[in-house]
């Protein structure tokens, strides 16, 4: 390849060109690769989830996880960043009415690298607003060994591709 080719991770078009029509049921892709550092765990937890298992490495050694772990909300926030960078785009992503079935399955520890597997479960045009559609996606957050550390189902409102004149 000449270097001009851009990876699309299971999609027909790259992320910056995606609209509702591109989010087809069955498409699955894995994106990301975010290193979770001890410093980031401590910084996030001190501000948003100041529990000892997230803020005090020495005390966490004697806790239920036998060491420091990231807040589940830190994991969720990391998955959101990966989603924005690799799955949705600012032109077509209009909103989200919410997530379902959020589960934290395994602790995330300093040194873990997180990626996200997206699998489109359903896409349907909006019945009330013809310029958009709804996309339901299974989101699986994976660590560097492929273990699922978090899962949820997202519903996103995605704009339709504009008609060119």
């Amino acid at each position: 390849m000449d270097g001009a080719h851009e990876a699309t991770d299971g999609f027909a078009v790259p992320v910056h060109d995606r609209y509702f029509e591109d989010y087809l049921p069955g498409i699955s892709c894995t994106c990301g690769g975010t290193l979770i550092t001890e410093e980031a765990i401590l910084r996030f937890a001190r501000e948003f989830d100041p529990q000892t298992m997230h803020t005090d490495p020495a005390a966490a050694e004697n806790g239920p996880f036998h060491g420091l772990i990231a807040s589940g909300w830190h994991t969720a926030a990391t998955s959101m960043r990966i989603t924005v960078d690799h799955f949705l785009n600012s032109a077509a992503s209009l909103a989200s009415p919410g997530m379902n079935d959020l589960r934290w399955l395994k602790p995330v520890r300093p040194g873990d690298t997180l990626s996200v597997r997206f699998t489109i479960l359903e896409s349907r045009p909006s019945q009330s607003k013809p310029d958009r559609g709804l996309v339901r996606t299974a989101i699986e957050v994976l660590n560097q060994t492929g273990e699922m550390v978090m899962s949820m189902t997202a519903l996103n409102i995605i704009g339709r591709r504009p008609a060119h004149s």
Side-chain angles (χ1 to χ4, degrees):
M1 288 260 145
D2 62 7
H5 177 73
E6 184 174 342
T8 55
D9 297 320
F11 284 87
V13 297
V15 66
H16 62 271
D17 290 333
R18 288 183 202 151
Y19 288 89
F20 169 75
E21 294 80 2
D22 301 305
Y23 292 87
L24 302 173
I27 288 178
S28 184
C29 63
T30 303
C31 308
T34 301
L35 176 66
I36 305 300
T37 65
E38 180 172 315
E39 178 187 358
I41 289 172
L42 295 171
R43 185 175 54 249
F44 184 95
R46 286 178 182 141
E47 185 167 356
F48 298 109
D49 191 356
Q51 298 181 72
T52 304
M53 67 186 99
H54 309 313
T55 60
D56 186 337
E61 285 297 325
N62 298 316
F65 298 101
H66 306 290
L68 188 72
I69 63 169
S71 165
W73 297 112
H74 185 175
T75 304
T78 300
S79 75
M80 187 66 215
R81 181 60 195 239
I82 293 169
T83 299
V84 170
D85 288 347
H86 299 285
F87 187 70
L88 300 174
N89 73 52
S90 60
S93 179
L94 302 177
S96 173
M99 307 289 178
N100 292 318
D101 304 316
L102 173 62
R103 299 287 180 267
W104 291 295
L105 305 166
K106 292 184 87 60
V108 172
R109 299 183 183 278
D112 283 351
T113 299
L114 301 183
S115 59
V116 179
R117 180 170 46 226
F118 303 95
T119 303
I120 299 171
L121 303 173
E122 175 187 21
S123 61
R124 58 184 165 83
S126 170
Q127 293 184 352
S128 60
K129 296 183 179 177
D131 67 332
R132 62 194 66 182
L134 298 166
V135 176
R136 192 166 55 92
T137 306
I139 295 177
E140 300 166 312
V141 181
L142 311 170
N143 67 16
Q144 66 281 356
T145 63
E147 297 173 293
M148 194 181 324
V149 299
M150 190 186 95
S151 66
M152 63 183 161
T153 304
L155 188 60
N156 292 94
I157 302 168
I158 309 287
R160 295 189 126 187
R161 184 167 276 107
H164 296 301
S165 46

